[in-house]
Amino acid sequence: MTENTPRTETLMSKEAHEAPTRCAEQLRLNSDLVRDAGARLRELAPPFAATLARGSSDQAAAFGKFLLEIYGHTPTLSHAPSTGSLYHATSPNFRNVPLIAISQSGKSPDLLAAAEEAGAKGALIIAIVNDANSPLAELADIVIPVYAGPENSVAATKSFVCTLIALMHLVAEWSQDGALLAALGQVEEVLTKAANTDWTGVTDMLTSAGDMFVLGRGPTLAIAGEAALKLKETCGLHAEAFSSAEFAHGPMTLVGEGDPVLALAPLDEASTGLNERLEDFAARGAKVIAAGRAQDVSSAECTLPTATDCHPALGAIAQIQSFYALANAVSLARGHNPDSPPHLNKVTRTL
């Protein structure tokens, strides 16, 4: 690499690129474990489920909520860690309810305290963790390792993708949804293609941006949340995620000339009305970048290649897999180090 060659290889980019292989290995190693967990949950037949997480893991939890409600037909709430860790107000109605606690490290004090209190109220604690020997795993009834391997970049990438696949696997086995189960067999192929799909051609559109919006809906809403979080975390770019349906209820007034908007189009019914919304952005002079089926994003100024011939849940995961290389490029172009964002640590200790 010469002195003037842009640096692109970082821990973040390297680790993100490992995700497809790690996910395939996870599905193989967890096959019996998750099948048994699904059978146990079908027998339990809970009235609702809950998630427990922070940061990127909470975006994964939102993805899990979508899967559970759409394919598992199980209402799912987000259990705030402070309910158990600070207020000690966990409801007794959690008895025999699955609480899916998601954490890379399994060490955050607030998650541990909340999970422990919920367990004491009779909740079935399911830990989805990268460290199967962590304190969170030790107190759980069911442990689903994501097998992402060591992740040294502060920005979570492969561990996030692996967590999404673990959630997809769990819901597929729990719900016995045929299409979702079949999609598990495409994971490595679709994600490998996504990892090698180049979105960095739009880097210049984001390099000097001060603010931007990231839109999703249905399976891509949580993906938009993770993308916005990574833009803030690694690029110092104020990005906010919204549902493309919700955006018309107020936030649209913030969009002006030259503002970048990234739309992550879903591959299911949730794409309804999206192209008309993108037309509104274009009419306001916004720079619209979009990934999705051609008919859903034809009004975008720039379209990004993405998987469109797979299950909507897997298509959403493929979008974040492709996005990480873009976030890495934008971070470097803005003079940041994506591996070590300021004021952040790998394990966040809050209570």
Side-chain angles (χ1 to χ4, degrees):
M1 184 171 70
T2 67
E3 188 174 320
N4 296 322
T5 302
R7 173 176 172 249
T8 58
E9 183 65 19
T10 62
L11 284 173
M12 178 182 172
S13 64
K14 177 180 178 295
E15 290 173 348
H17 212 78
E18 294 174 7
T21 301
R22 297 285 186 176
C23 288
E25 182 72 352
Q26 174 203 128
L27 289 171
R28 185 183 68 81
L29 292 172
N30 284 349
S31 178
D32 292 341
L33 165 67
V34 176
R35 186 182 299 114
D36 291 346
R40 182 175 179 179
L41 290 164
R42 286 196 302 278
E43 183 178 357
L44 186 64
F48 68 96
T51 62
L52 177 69
R54 287 204 189 278
S56 285
S57 294
D58 201 33
Q59 302 300 337
F63 186 75
K65 170 184 169 67
F66 168 81
L67 295 176
L68 281 167
E69 294 190 341
I70 301 304
Y71 301 106
H73 310 294
T74 302
T76 304
L77 61 86
S78 174
H79 183 54
S82 58
T83 301
S85 67
L86 293 181
Y87 294 105
H88 303 292
T90 303
S91 171
N93 292 328
F94 267 91
R95 177 165 297 280
N96 295 324
V97 166
L99 177 66
I100 304 173
I102 304 172
S103 173
Q104 299 166 56
S105 68
K107 298 176 182 177
S108 299
D110 50 355
L111 295 186
L112 292 170
E116 187 171 18
E117 180 165 289
K121 295 293 177 69
L124 178 74
I125 308 300
I126 302 174
I128 298 183
V129 291
N130 196 25
D131 184 354
N133 297 311
S134 63
L136 180 60
E138 289 177 3
L139 64 81
D141 300 289
I142 297 172
V143 179
I144 301 177
V146 302
Y147 291 109
E151 191 172 54
N152 296 307
S153 175
V154 170
T157 54
K158 63 177 178 176
S159 63
F160 181 78
V161 175
C162 286
T163 298
L164 298 187
I165 293 300
L167 286 162
M168 182 175 162
H169 192 187
L170 177 64
V171 175
E173 289 289 359
W174 182 353
S175 67
Q176 290 294 286
D177 182 276
L180 203 56
L181 284 165
L184 296 173
Q186 294 182 289
V187 165
E188 185 171 19
E189 177 187 355
V190 170
L191 293 188
T192 297
K193 185 174 180 179
N196 293 314
T197 296
D198 187 8
W199 283 15
T200 61
V202 299
T203 301
D204 288 348
M205 297 176 70
L206 305 180
T207 300
S208 61
D211 303 276
M212 69 175 292
F213 296 103
V214 187
L215 305 184
R217 193 180 183 188
T220 63
L221 180 57
I223 304 305
E226 166 66 2
L229 181 60
K230 282 296 179 290
L231 288 167
K232 287 192 280 269
E233 180 182 45
T234 65
C235 307
L237 172 52
H238 181 214
E240 294 299 331
F242 285 93
S243 161
S244 56
E246 188 69 26
F247 204 83
H249 295 266
M252 180 63 86
T253 61
L254 297 174
V255 178
E257 184 77 27
D259 290 340
V261 176
L262 173 61
L264 301 175
L267 302 180
D268 63 5
E269 300 90 329
S271 65
T272 301
L274 175 61
N275 204 42
E276 289 78 3
R277 184 74 64 241
L278 300 187
E279 287 178 356
D280 293 341
F281 289 124
R284 291 169 176 264
K287 298 177 181 177
V288 182
I289 306 164
R293 296 174 297 198
Q295 67 268 28
D296 297 324
V297 299
S298 61
S299 297
E301 177 180 339
C302 183
T303 57
L304 301 169
T306 192
T308 58
D309 58 350
C310 60
H311 192 285
L314 185 53
I317 300 172
Q319 288 184 352
I320 199 63
Q321 177 71 71
S322 296
F323 169 83
Y324 283 138
L326 173 59
N328 182 77
V330 173
S331 176
L332 294 172
R334 290 168 69 93
H336 294 268
N337 178 0
D339 293 334
S340 185
H343 316 302
L344 295 178
N345 297 297
K346 192 64 177 173
V347 180
T348 303
R349 300 185 181 277
T350 54
L351 188 66

